[in-house]
Amino acid sequence: MDKPSVALMLVVVLGVGAQWIAHRLRLPSILLLLLFGLAAGAGAHKLFGQPALNPDGLVGRDVVFGIVSIFVAIVLFDGGLSLRFREFRRVGRAVIQLMTIAVVVAWVGGTAAAYYIAGLTFANSVMMGAILVVTGPTVIIPLLRQVRPSANVASVLKWEGIVNDPVGAILAVLVFEAILTGDFFNPSWHLVVDLLATFGVGAVLGAVGAAVMIVCLRRYWIPDAVETSVILMIVGATFVASNLIKEESGLLAVTIMGIAVANQKWAEVSRIIEFKEHLASLLVAILFIVLASRVTLDDLSQLDWNSVWFVVALIVVVRPLTVLLSTFGTRLNWRERAFVAWMAPRGVVAAAVMSLFALRLSTSADSDVPAEVTAEAGRLVPIMFLVILGTILVYGLSAIPLSKALGVATTNRTGVLIVSAGAFARAIGKALAARKVDVLLIDTNLSDVRAARMDGLRAWHGDVLSQQRSEQLETPSIGRALILTPNDQVNALIAIHLTSEFGRREVYRVRLGSRPASEGGEAEERLDEGRLLFDEEAGFHTLNRRLREGWTIKSTKLTEEFDMGQLHEHYKGKAIVLAVVRKDGKIAFNTADAPLEPEIGQTVIALVDDRKAGEIPGASGEAAQPAAS
C-alpha cells in the first residue's frame, strides 16, 4: 500500500479512534484529538526522527490550506445551524449580555493578555483576542452532561458557546482581513470601507446560498439519496464564490447561511441537522488530527512560561471579569455567576481559525504586513493549542467538584425520560407526573407528541439519538430513561446510546412480548441494551392492548389492612406492577432482573382492570387514565 493512502487512513483512524475512546471514558473528545494529533506529529518526530503524519509533505501546504479552509467553512456552517432565534429568546437577559458586553470585554481582555503577557505583537494580539471570544460548545455540552448544573447555568453556558462561536470567527476574519490589507497599521476610512465590503459580500452570498438551499428543499428538487452531497456542494460553492468576490468573506457567508437556514420556516431542515451531526463530527476529527500533527518541535520550542501565564490569565482574570461585568443585573445568583465564570473551554473553531490564519500569515508575501507579524506566525498555533489543552484540563477536572461546592449541580436526578409518546407512554407518564416526577416524553410521531402535550405532559418532537436533543433540551433533573417504542432493535440501540448518559442501572426498555429464558430470550440479553421492564407477560403489545380494553394505571398505598396479596385479590389477579414509590419517596421500576416485592407503607403503581373491582377499602388510589391511542 502506498504511503499517501496509509497517511490518509491514519488520520481517520486517529480521529475516529480518539472520539470513540473519549466517549467510552467520558472525556471531551477534543482533548484526545489534540493529544493524538500531537503524538502523530511532534511526538513521533521526537521518538523516531520523523513524524508519523506530515500533511504538508503528503499533499503540499497549499492543498492543506485548501482542505482546512473548506473544513472550517463546514464547521462554521454547522455552528450557524445551531442558532435558533426562537429558543435563544427564551434564555433571557444573561445570554444577550454574554453576546454583547462579554464579547467586547473578552476581546479587550484577551488582547491585553496576549500583548502584555504572551508578548505578541499588537496586531496578532488583537486577532488572538478576537478568536478567544469563542467557547467551544463541542466541549461544553459533554461537560454539562456530566455536571448536570441548574437549568439557568446550563442554558447560559450552552447558548453562549453556540452563539459566540460564529461571532468570534467573524471578528477574527475582520481583523485578519485588516492585517493582510495593511490598513490595520494605518487606520483610515479605507479600512472601514473594506471591512464593510467584506461583511456585505459575506452577508449577501450567505443569504443567496441559504435561499438556494431553501428553495431546493422546499420544492423537493434534491433526491434523498444525494441530499447530503448537494448540501455540501452548496456550502462549498457559497464559500468559494464569496472568497472570489471578496477575499476572506467566505467564512462570514457560510456562517450567515447556516443561521438563515436554521431559522426559516419554509423548508424542513431536520435532514440537514442529521447531516451536521454525522458529517461535521467526522470533519472535526480529521481537522483536529491534521492541524495538531502540523505542530512541529520547533513550534513547541517557542512555548515558554509567558505562554503558560497567558493561559492562567485567561482562566483566572479575563473570564471571571468578563462574566462579572456581562451578567450584572441578571437573574443569575452569585453561585451561578461564579460557576459560569469558571467555564470557558476552547474548542475546534478556535484551533481551526488560528491555524488557518497562521498558515496564511506564514506564506504571505504582502509587503503591507510588517515582518514581525509574519515572523510571529509560528507562535500562534502552539499558543492556541496550549490554551485549548489548558482550559479543557482545568475546567474538565474542576467542573464537577466546583458545581457541588457552589450548590449549582442538580443532585436530585429523579426525573424520567420516556422514549415514546404512545398510549402506554402517556399513561405511565401521567402516573409519574402525579407523583411530582419530572417527566419528558420524546417521539418522532408528531401526533403522539401533540396528544402528550394535550395531556399536560412535557413532550419533544424529535429523535432521541439526535445531537439536537442535547443542544435544545434542558434536562438536568432527569436521571433515567424508559424506552417504550414498538421496535425491539430500535429499543436496544437507544438503550446502548443512553447508557453512556444515565448508566446501565438507570436505562430500562420494554420487551415486545414474552420470551422465556428457556427459549434463549432473556439469557441472550446484553447488559448495555437496557434492563427489561415488568414481568415476562407485560410486553409492549400486551400493555397497549390492556389499555384499549379499559385497564388504567393506578397508584395505591399499601397498608396493614390492604397489602399486596389483597391488591391482587381485589383486581382478581388482573394487576401488572409497573413501579413502587418507596417510603423515602424514591421510585423503583419493576424489572425482570430485580422483580419488586412491594411492602406495607409503599405505593404501588400498577396497570389494573378496575372496571368491576370497585373502590379499594381503606386505601388511597390515584388513577392515571390512558389517553386515546
Side-chain angles (χ1 to χ4, degrees), residues 553-606:
I553 295 180
K554 279 195 171 183
S555 298
T556 305
K557 186 173 183 179
L558 301 182
T559 64
E560 293 285 353
E561 295 77 20
F562 194 86
D563 58 16
M564 195 61 200
Q566 290 170 307
L567 185 143
H568 279 296
E569 183 180 348
H570 180 77
Y571 291 113
K572 299 179 175 57
K574 296 183 177 181
I576 300 174
V577 177
L578 307 177
V580 299
V581 183
R582 297 195 176 108
K583 295 179 182 179
D584 59 5
K586 295 181 179 179
I587 295 179
F589 292 103
N590 195 19
T591 61
D593 63 323
L596 295 176
E597 298 180 0
E599 302 173 355
I600 294 173
Q602 297 180 340
T603 298
V604 177
I605 301 176

Side-chain angles (χ1 to χ4, degrees), residues 541-552 576 607:
H541 300 298
T542 299
L543 295 169
N544 281 274
R545 184 174 65 253
R546 297 303 188 207
L547 287 177
R548 290 194 297 270
E549 292 172 352
W551 289 38
T552 59
I576 300 174
L607 179 64

Side-chain angles (χ1 to χ4, degrees), residues 85-107:
F85 295 147
R86 172 178 53 82
E87 297 166 351
F88 170 70
R89 284 194 295 266
R90 292 184 303 150
V91 179
R93 180 177 175 181
V95 174
I96 293 176
Q97 294 181 186
L98 283 170
M99 288 177 57
T100 52
I101 299 173
V103 168
V104 176
V105 176
W107 191 1

Side-chain angles (χ1 to χ4, degrees), residues 126-280:
V126 174
M127 185 171 66
M128 176 73 76
I131 296 176
L132 290 176
V133 165
V134 307
T135 58
T138 54
V139 185
I140 287 178
I141 290 175
L143 284 177
L144 293 180
R145 291 199 195 106
Q146 296 179 25
V147 175
R148 294 281 176 170
S150 63
N152 284 342
V153 171
S155 298
V156 167
L157 287 173
K158 183 181 69 173
W159 287 109
E160 180 198 13
I162 293 172
V163 171
N164 283 356
D165 242 13
V167 170
I170 289 171
L171 291 176
V173 167
L174 297 179
V175 173
F176 182 67
E177 173 70 10
I179 292 175
L180 287 185
T181 60
D183 289 334
F184 183 89
F185 310 98
N186 299 289
S188 65
W189 282 107
H190 175 70
L191 172 62
V192 176
V193 172
D194 193 60
L195 296 182
L196 290 176
T198 302
F199 183 82
V201 171
V204 171
L205 267 292
V208 170
V212 171
M213 186 177 297
I214 292 167
V215 170
C216 291
L217 292 172
R218 181 176 175 82
R219 296 182 179 275
Y220 302 100
W221 288 345
I222 308 176
D224 291 348
V226 296
E227 189 173 64
T228 297
S229 301
V230 173
I231 290 170
L232 276 176
M233 179 195 71
I234 296 174
V235 173
T238 301
F239 171 71
V240 172
S242 185
N243 274 343
L244 287 175
I245 297 174
K246 181 61 180 171
E247 192 71 21
E248 306 304 331
S249 66
L251 295 181
L252 285 170
V254 294
T255 303
I256 293 172
M257 180 181 174
I259 296 172
V261 171
N263 289 279
Q264 53 80 35
K265 300 180 180 179
W266 299 283
E268 176 60 45
V269 296
S270 59
R271 291 176 65 89
I272 298 179
I273 300 296
E274 182 179 354
F275 139 76
K276 176 201 74 169
E277 295 170 5
H278 298 292
L279 183 59

Side-chain angles (χ1 to χ4, degrees), residues 315-510:
I315 295 174
V316 302
V317 178
V318 177
R319 176 61 178 180
L321 182 62
T322 299
V323 174
L324 176 66
L325 295 178
S326 61
T327 59
F328 183 78
T330 66
R331 295 182 178 180
L332 297 179
N333 59 47
W334 74 268
R335 296 176 183 273
E336 292 170 333
R337 294 173 71 188
F339 186 78
V340 172
W342 193 258
M343 189 59 59
R346 271 61 175 198
V348 67
V349 170
V353 174
M354 180 55 79
S355 296
L356 180 63
F357 292 168
L359 181 60
R360 288 295 307 275
L361 281 177
S362 64
T363 58
S364 176
D366 196 327
S367 59
D368 291 329
V369 182
E372 62 268 18
V373 175
T374 56
E376 206 173 55
R379 292 189 61 199
L380 299 179
V381 173
I383 289 177
M384 180 58 72
F385 278 12
L386 184 63
V387 170
I388 294 171
L389 181 62
T391 55
I392 290 176
L393 285 174
V394 170
Y395 297 133
L397 294 175
S398 63
I400 292 178
L402 181 64
S403 66
K404 293 180 178 178
L406 292 173
V408 298
T410 303
T411 56
N412 185 24
R413 296 185 60 191
T414 58
V416 178
L417 173 70
I418 300 180
V419 184
S420 174
F424 178 74
R426 300 196 299 272
I428 194 171
K430 290 177 67 176
L432 294 173
R435 309 300 309 183
K436 308 301 181 183
V437 175
D438 184 18
V439 176
L440 171 64
L441 282 70
I442 292 183
D443 204 319
T444 55
N445 187 312
L446 184 57
S447 297
D448 284 344
V449 169
R450 287 172 175 167
R453 291 171 180 169
M454 290 293 291
D455 286 342
L457 296 169
R458 189 160 64 108
W460 186 73
H461 176 235
D463 186 353
V464 70
L465 301 180
S466 168
Q467 183 180 338
Q468 190 180 13
R469 171 181 69 90
S470 302
E471 295 175 351
Q472 295 184 1
L473 295 179
E474 304 296 343
T475 58
S477 65
I478 291 180
R480 45 194 168 168
L482 301 183
I483 306 170
L484 307 176
T485 83
N487 188 308
D488 221 6
Q489 287 74 27
V490 169
N491 288 346
L493 177 63
I494 294 174
I496 293 173
H497 178 82
L498 294 182
T499 293
S500 63
E501 185 172 347
F502 300 111
R504 290 186 300 180
R505 179 183 177 86
E506 300 297 350
V507 176
Y508 310 84
R509 66 182 176 97
V510 71

